[in-house]
Amino acid sequence: MTTTLITGANKGLGFETARRLVAAGHTVHVGARDAERGRRAADELGARFVQIDVTDDTSVEAAAKTLEAAGGLDVLINNAGVETRTEDNGVPVAATVTADQMRTTFETNVFGVVRVLHAFLPLLQRSAAPVVVNVSSGLGSLTHLSDPDHPAHFYPGVAYPTSKTAVNMLTVQYAKAFPAMRINSVEPGFTKTDLNGNTGTQTVAEGAEIIVRMAQVAPDGPTGGFFDAKGPLPW
């Protein structure tokens, strides 16, 4: 039996990923900051709930103890993420972005990933087939954002893509440090979720495809890579 934890799983991509993995036979722990929403989502999915705020050390450590008491962990999906938005649903651009906006974004998207990995690595190391999926973004690709012919080039925001580039570097470095694990970054695509004010062009079912696929990667599968539904992406 495969035990999976998904952070930020009470809605959006995390919820859909949980639904698909429950259907695939995983024992899924729905991680959420809000206990009421998390329990409601878990009940709807036939999953388990664990309270976890990736920005809080105490919360993450408590979640790790809960999973340890429940029998361990095989798959960790770092899905929780934020994107700073203005009142008109725009993004802070280079001329307006502040250090505080950057810090808030990094606290969840980058430091949160490190905080969760640090707490759960001991459990993953006990698994026979440990897997980590870091939900990144195509906006984290330096290659694409610096290419005038690529659609991503025209995204004007600073904080969110910078944080996802950092997530990709975490993937590379953790994969090198733990070669027995399968640790990859994934790009779900521009998916309609609360993160982007529901402006995305994909459904959550389409966006979750690559997350679900990489959550089930075999022990001899790729590690240290960056993938979307079509295959490898450039850094």
Side-chain angles (χ1 to χ4, degrees):
M1 181 182 295
T2 300
T3 300
T4 299
L5 168 65
I6 308 171
T7 64
N10 62 288
K11 61 180 181 178
L13 285 168
F15 183 89
E16 176 63 15
T17 299
R19 186 188 69 78
R20 299 266 294 274
L21 290 176
V22 167
H26 288 223
T27 298
V28 174
H29 291 257
V30 169
R33 289 182 299 176
D34 186 291
E36 182 180 348
R37 293 177 181 175
R39 287 194 181 94
R40 188 164 58 241
D43 288 345
E44 181 178 343
L45 292 164
R48 301 179 183 183
F49 166 68
V50 61
Q51 196 280 333
I52 183 168
D53 179 350
V54 302
T55 68
D56 181 78
D57 287 338
T58 301
S59 173
V60 173
E61 289 164 6
K65 290 178 180 177
T66 297
L67 267 291
E68 183 176 22
L73 183 66
D74 303 298
V75 179
L76 170 63
I77 301 176
N78 286 307
N79 170 72
V82 298
E83 181 184 30
T84 302
R85 288 269 165 169
T86 60
E87 290 184 1
D88 61 354
N89 202 37
V91 292
V93 298
T96 63
V97 69
T98 66
D100 283 343
Q101 289 169 335
M102 294 289 290
R103 188 176 295 109
T104 297
T105 304
F106 268 62
E107 189 62 56
T108 296
N109 295 4
V110 182
F111 305 147
V113 171
V114 175
R115 187 175 285 113
V116 172
L117 278 168
H118 180 75
F120 284 92
L121 276 170
L123 296 184
L124 289 167
Q125 287 177 297
R126 297 174 201 166
S127 170
V131 171
V132 176
V133 180
N134 293 325
V135 179
S136 182
S137 169
L139 295 176
S141 170
L142 293 170
T143 300
H144 284 167
L145 263 71
S146 59
D147 178 2
D149 294 324
H150 194 279
H153 176 76
F154 299 97
Y155 179 87
V158 176
Y160 184 75
T162 305
S163 73
K164 293 304 187 178
T165 301
V167 168
N168 287 349
M169 180 59 77
L170 292 176
T171 294
V172 170
Q173 295 299 84
Y174 276 91
K176 289 193 298 183
F178 299 98
M181 298 186 190
R182 303 297 90 184
I183 304 176
N184 293 289
S185 284
V186 298
E187 142 70 326
F190 190 33
T191 304
K192 185 177 181 180
T193 65
D194 289 349
L195 180 85
N196 52 47
N198 292 299
T199 58
T201 56
Q202 288 188 152
T203 66
V204 289
E206 292 170 316
E209 170 61 32
I210 187 60
I211 308 175
V212 172
R213 187 191 311 171
M214 297 311 290
Q216 300 179 93
V217 69
D220 61 350
T223 191
F226 184 25
F227 302 90
D228 70 3
K230 297 179 181 178
L233 292 173
W235 298 114

Coordinates of all heavy atoms in Angstrom, one line a residue, residues 154-206:
F154 N 6.3 36.6 -22.0 CA 5.5 37.9 -21.9 C 4.9 38.0 -20.4 O 4.2 39.0 -20.2 CB 4.4 37.9 -22.9 CG 4.9 37.9 -24.3 CD1 5.0 36.8 -25.1 CD2 5.4 39.1 -24.9 CE1 5.6 36.8 -26.3 CE2 5.9 39.1 -26.1 CZ 6.0 38.0 -26.9
Y155 N 5.1 37.0 -19.6 CA 4.7 37.1 -18.2 C 5.5 38.1 -17.5 O 6.7 38.0 -17.4 CB 4.8 35.7 -17.5 CG 4.3 35.7 -16.1 CD1 3.0 35.5 -15.7 CD2 5.3 36.0 -15.0 CE1 2.6 35.6 -14.4 CE2 4.8 36.0 -13.7 CZ 3.5 35.8 -13.4 OH 3.1 35.8 -12.1
P156 N 4.9 39.2 -16.9 CA 5.6 40.3 -16.4 C 6.0 40.2 -14.9 O 6.8 41.0 -14.4 CB 4.7 41.5 -16.6 CG 3.3 40.8 -16.4 CD 3.4 39.4 -16.9
G157 N 5.4 39.2 -14.2 CA 5.6 39.1 -12.7 C 7.0 38.7 -12.4 O 7.8 38.1 -13.2
V158 N 7.4 39.0 -11.1 CA 8.8 38.7 -10.7 C 8.8 37.6 -9.6 O 9.5 36.6 -9.6 CB 9.5 39.9 -10.1 CG1 10.8 39.6 -9.6 CG2 9.6 41.0 -11.3
A159 N 7.9 37.8 -8.6 CA 8.0 36.9 -7.4 C 7.7 35.4 -7.7 O 8.5 34.5 -7.3 CB 7.1 37.4 -6.3
Y160 N 6.6 35.2 -8.3 CA 6.2 33.8 -8.6 C 7.2 33.0 -9.4 O 7.6 31.9 -9.0 CB 4.8 33.8 -9.2 CG 4.2 32.4 -9.4 CD1 3.8 31.7 -8.3 CD2 4.2 31.8 -10.6 CE1 3.2 30.4 -8.4 CE2 3.6 30.5 -10.8 CZ 3.2 29.8 -9.7 OH 2.7 28.6 -9.9
P161 N 7.6 33.5 -10.6 CA 8.5 32.7 -11.4 C 9.9 32.5 -10.7 O 10.5 31.5 -10.9 CB 8.7 33.5 -12.7 CG 8.2 34.9 -12.4 CD 7.2 34.7 -11.3
T162 N 10.3 33.6 -10.0 CA 11.6 33.4 -9.3 C 11.5 32.3 -8.2 O 12.4 31.5 -8.1 CB 12.0 34.8 -8.6 OG1 12.0 35.8 -9.5 CG2 13.3 34.7 -7.9
S163 N 10.4 32.2 -7.6 CA 10.2 31.2 -6.6 C 10.2 29.8 -7.2 O 10.7 28.8 -6.6 CB 8.9 31.4 -5.8 OG 7.8 31.1 -6.5
K164 N 9.6 29.7 -8.4 CA 9.5 28.4 -9.0 C 10.9 28.0 -9.6 O 11.2 26.8 -9.7 CB 8.4 28.4 -10.1 CG 7.0 28.5 -9.5 CD 6.8 27.4 -8.4 CE 5.3 27.4 -7.9 NZ 5.1 26.3 -7.0
T165 N 11.7 28.9 -10.0 CA 13.1 28.6 -10.5 C 13.8 28.1 -9.3 O 14.6 27.1 -9.4 CB 13.8 29.9 -11.0 OG1 13.0 30.4 -12.1 CG2 15.2 29.6 -11.5
A166 N 13.6 28.7 -8.1 CA 14.3 28.2 -6.9 C 13.8 26.7 -6.6 O 14.6 25.9 -6.2 CB 14.0 29.1 -5.7
V167 N 12.5 26.5 -6.7 CA 12.0 25.1 -6.5 C 12.7 24.1 -7.4 O 13.1 23.0 -7.0 CB 10.5 25.1 -6.7 CG1 10.0 23.6 -6.8 CG2 9.8 25.8 -5.6
N168 N 12.9 24.5 -8.7 CA 13.6 23.6 -9.6 C 15.0 23.3 -9.2 O 15.5 22.2 -9.3 CB 13.6 24.2 -11.0 CG 12.3 24.2 -11.7 OD1 11.4 23.5 -11.2 ND2 12.1 24.9 -12.8
M169 N 15.7 24.3 -8.6 CA 17.1 24.1 -8.1 C 17.0 23.2 -6.9 O 17.9 22.3 -6.7 CB 17.7 25.4 -7.7 CG 19.2 25.3 -7.2 SD 20.3 24.4 -8.4 CE 20.6 25.8 -9.5
L170 N 16.0 23.3 -6.0 CA 15.9 22.4 -4.9 C 15.7 21.0 -5.4 O 16.3 20.0 -4.8 CB 14.6 22.8 -4.1 CG 14.7 24.1 -3.3 CD1 13.4 24.4 -2.6 CD2 15.8 24.1 -2.3
T171 N 14.9 20.8 -6.5 CA 14.7 19.5 -7.0 C 16.1 18.9 -7.5 O 16.4 17.7 -7.2 CB 13.8 19.6 -8.2 OG1 12.5 19.9 -7.7 CG2 13.7 18.2 -9.0
V172 N 16.9 19.7 -8.2 CA 18.2 19.2 -8.7 C 19.1 18.8 -7.5 O 19.7 17.7 -7.5 CB 18.9 20.3 -9.5 CG1 20.3 19.9 -9.8 CG2 18.1 20.5 -10.8
Q173 N 19.2 19.6 -6.5 CA 20.1 19.4 -5.4 C 19.6 18.2 -4.5 O 20.5 17.4 -4.0 CB 20.3 20.7 -4.6 CG 21.0 21.8 -5.4 CD 22.4 21.4 -5.9 OE1 22.5 20.7 -6.9 NE2 23.4 21.7 -5.1
Y174 N 18.3 18.2 -4.2 CA 17.9 17.1 -3.4 C 18.0 15.7 -4.1 O 18.2 14.7 -3.5 CB 16.4 17.3 -2.9 CG 16.3 18.2 -1.7 CD1 16.2 19.6 -1.8 CD2 16.3 17.6 -0.4 CE1 16.1 20.4 -0.7 CE2 16.2 18.4 0.7 CZ 16.1 19.8 0.6 OH 16.0 20.6 1.7
A175 N 17.7 15.7 -5.4 CA 17.8 14.5 -6.2 C 19.2 14.0 -6.2 O 19.5 12.8 -6.1 CB 17.3 14.7 -7.6
K176 N 20.2 14.9 -6.3 CA 21.6 14.5 -6.2 C 22.0 13.9 -4.8 O 22.7 12.9 -4.7 CB 22.5 15.6 -6.5 CG 22.5 16.0 -8.0 CD 23.7 17.0 -8.3 CE 23.6 18.3 -7.6 NZ 24.7 19.2 -7.9
A177 N 21.4 14.5 -3.8 CA 21.7 14.2 -2.4 C 21.1 12.8 -2.0 O 21.6 12.1 -1.2 CB 21.3 15.3 -1.5
F178 N 19.9 12.5 -2.6 CA 19.2 11.3 -2.3 C 18.9 10.5 -3.5 O 17.8 10.4 -4.0 CB 17.9 11.7 -1.5 CG 18.2 12.4 -0.3 CD1 18.1 13.8 -0.2 CD2 18.5 11.8 0.9 CE1 18.3 14.5 0.9 CE2 18.8 12.5 2.1 CZ 18.6 13.9 2.1
P179 N 19.9 9.8 -4.1 CA 19.8 9.1 -5.4 C 18.8 7.9 -5.3 O 18.3 7.5 -6.3 CB 21.2 8.7 -5.7 CG 21.9 8.7 -4.4 CD 21.3 9.8 -3.6
A180 N 18.5 7.4 -4.1 CA 17.5 6.3 -4.0 C 16.1 6.8 -4.1 O 15.2 6.0 -4.3 CB 17.7 5.6 -2.7
M181 N 15.9 8.1 -4.0 CA 14.5 8.6 -4.2 C 14.3 9.1 -5.6 O 15.3 9.4 -6.3 CB 14.3 9.8 -3.2 CG 14.4 9.5 -1.8 SD 14.0 10.9 -0.7 CE 14.5 10.2 0.9
R182 N 13.1 9.2 -6.0 CA 12.7 9.8 -7.3 C 12.1 11.2 -7.0 O 11.1 11.3 -6.4 CB 11.6 9.0 -8.0 CG 12.0 7.5 -8.3 CD 13.2 7.4 -9.3 NE 14.4 7.3 -8.5 CZ 15.6 7.2 -9.1 NH1 15.8 7.2 -10.4 NH2 16.7 7.2 -8.3
I183 N 12.9 12.2 -7.3 CA 12.5 13.6 -6.9 C 12.5 14.4 -8.2 O 13.5 14.6 -8.8 CB 13.6 14.2 -5.9 CG1 13.7 13.3 -4.7 CG2 13.2 15.6 -5.5 CD1 14.7 13.7 -3.7
N184 N 11.3 14.9 -8.5 CA 11.2 15.7 -9.8 C 10.3 16.9 -9.6 O 9.4 17.0 -8.7 CB 10.5 14.8 -10.8 CG 11.5 13.6 -11.3 OD1 12.5 13.9 -11.9 ND2 11.1 12.4 -10.8
S185 N 10.5 17.9 -10.5 CA 9.6 19.1 -10.6 C 8.7 18.8 -11.7 O 9.0 18.2 -12.7 CB 10.4 20.3 -10.9 OG 11.1 20.8 -9.8
V186 N 7.4 19.3 -11.6 CA 6.5 19.2 -12.6 C 5.8 20.6 -12.9 O 5.7 21.4 -12.0 CB 5.4 18.2 -12.3 CG1 6.0 16.8 -12.1 CG2 4.6 18.6 -11.1
E187 N 5.4 20.7 -14.2 CA 4.7 21.9 -14.6 C 3.3 21.5 -15.0 O 3.1 20.8 -16.0 CB 5.5 22.5 -15.8 CG 4.7 23.1 -17.0 CD 3.9 24.4 -16.7 OE1 3.4 24.5 -15.5 OE2 3.8 25.2 -17.6
P188 N 2.3 21.9 -14.2 CA 0.9 21.4 -14.5 C 0.3 22.2 -15.7 O -0.6 21.7 -16.4 CB 0.1 21.8 -13.3 CG 1.1 22.0 -12.2 CD 2.3 22.5 -12.9
G189 N 0.9 23.3 -16.1 CA 0.3 24.2 -17.1 C -0.6 25.2 -16.5 O -0.9 25.3 -15.3
F190 N -1.1 26.1 -17.4 CA -1.9 27.2 -16.9 C -3.3 26.8 -16.6 O -4.2 26.7 -17.5 CB -1.9 28.3 -18.0 CG -2.5 29.6 -17.6 CD1 -2.4 30.1 -16.3 CD2 -3.2 30.4 -18.5 CE1 -3.0 31.3 -15.9 CE2 -3.7 31.6 -18.1 CZ -3.6 32.1 -16.8
T191 N -3.5 26.4 -15.4 CA -4.7 25.7 -14.9 C -5.6 26.7 -14.2 O -5.2 27.5 -13.4 CB -4.4 24.5 -14.0 OG1 -3.5 23.6 -14.7 CG2 -5.6 23.8 -13.6
K192 N -6.9 26.5 -14.4 CA -7.9 27.4 -13.7 C -8.0 27.1 -12.3 O -8.7 26.1 -11.9 CB -9.3 27.3 -14.4 CG -10.3 28.2 -13.9 CD -11.6 28.1 -14.7 CE -12.7 29.0 -14.2 NZ -14.0 28.9 -14.9
T193 N -7.4 27.9 -11.4 CA -7.5 27.7 -10.0 C -7.6 29.0 -9.3 O -7.4 30.1 -9.9 CB -6.3 26.9 -9.4 OG1 -5.1 27.7 -9.6 CG2 -6.1 25.6 -10.1
D194 N -7.8 29.0 -8.0 CA -7.8 30.2 -7.2 C -6.5 30.9 -7.2 O -6.4 32.2 -7.1 CB -8.2 29.9 -5.7 CG -9.6 29.5 -5.6 OD1 -10.4 29.7 -6.5 OD2 -10.0 29.1 -4.5
L195 N -5.4 30.2 -7.4 CA -4.0 30.8 -7.4 C -3.9 31.9 -8.4 O -3.3 33.0 -8.2 CB -3.0 29.7 -7.8 CG -1.5 30.2 -7.9 CD1 -0.9 30.2 -6.5 CD2 -0.7 29.3 -8.8
N196 N -4.5 31.7 -9.6 CA -4.4 32.8 -10.7 C -5.8 33.5 -10.9 O -6.0 34.1 -12.0 CB -4.0 32.1 -12.0 CG -4.8 30.9 -12.4 OD1 -6.0 31.0 -12.4 ND2 -4.1 29.9 -12.8
G197 N -6.6 33.5 -9.9 CA -7.9 34.2 -10.0 C -8.8 33.5 -11.0 O -9.7 34.1 -11.6
N198 N -8.6 32.2 -11.2 CA -9.4 31.3 -12.1 C -9.3 31.8 -13.5 O -10.3 31.8 -14.3 CB -10.8 31.2 -11.6 CG -11.0 30.5 -10.3 OD1 -10.6 29.3 -10.3 ND2 -11.4 31.1 -9.3
T199 N -8.1 32.3 -13.9 CA -8.0 32.8 -15.3 C -7.3 31.7 -16.2 O -7.1 32.0 -17.4 CB -7.1 34.1 -15.3 OG1 -5.8 33.8 -14.7 CG2 -7.8 35.2 -14.6
G200 N -6.9 30.6 -15.6 CA -6.2 29.6 -16.4 C -7.1 29.0 -17.5 O -8.3 29.1 -17.5
T201 N -6.4 28.4 -18.4 CA -7.1 27.8 -19.6 C -7.3 26.3 -19.6 O -7.9 25.8 -20.5 CB -6.3 28.2 -20.9 OG1 -4.9 27.7 -20.8 CG2 -6.2 29.7 -21.1
Q202 N -6.7 25.7 -18.6 CA -6.8 24.2 -18.5 C -7.7 23.9 -17.3 O -7.9 24.7 -16.4 CB -5.5 23.6 -18.2 CG -4.5 23.5 -19.3 CD -3.3 22.7 -18.9 OE1 -2.7 22.1 -19.8 NE2 -2.9 22.6 -17.7
T203 N -8.3 22.7 -17.3 CA -9.1 22.2 -16.2 C -8.1 21.6 -15.2 O -7.0 21.3 -15.5 CB -10.1 21.1 -16.6 OG1 -9.3 20.0 -17.1 CG2 -11.0 21.6 -17.7
V204 N -8.6 21.4 -13.9 CA -7.7 20.8 -12.9 C -7.4 19.3 -13.3 O -6.4 18.8 -13.0 CB -8.3 20.9 -11.5 CG1 -8.3 22.3 -11.0 CG2 -9.7 20.3 -11.5
A205 N -8.3 18.7 -14.0 CA -8.1 17.3 -14.5 C -6.9 17.3 -15.4 O -6.0 16.4 -15.4 CB -9.3 16.8 -15.2
E206 N -6.8 18.3 -16.3 CA -5.7 18.3 -17.3 C -4.4 18.7 -16.5 O -3.3 18.1 -16.8 CB -6.0 19.4 -18.3 CG -7.1 19.0 -19.3 CD -7.5 20.1 -20.2 OE1 -7.7 21.3 -19.7 OE2 -7.7 19.9 -21.4

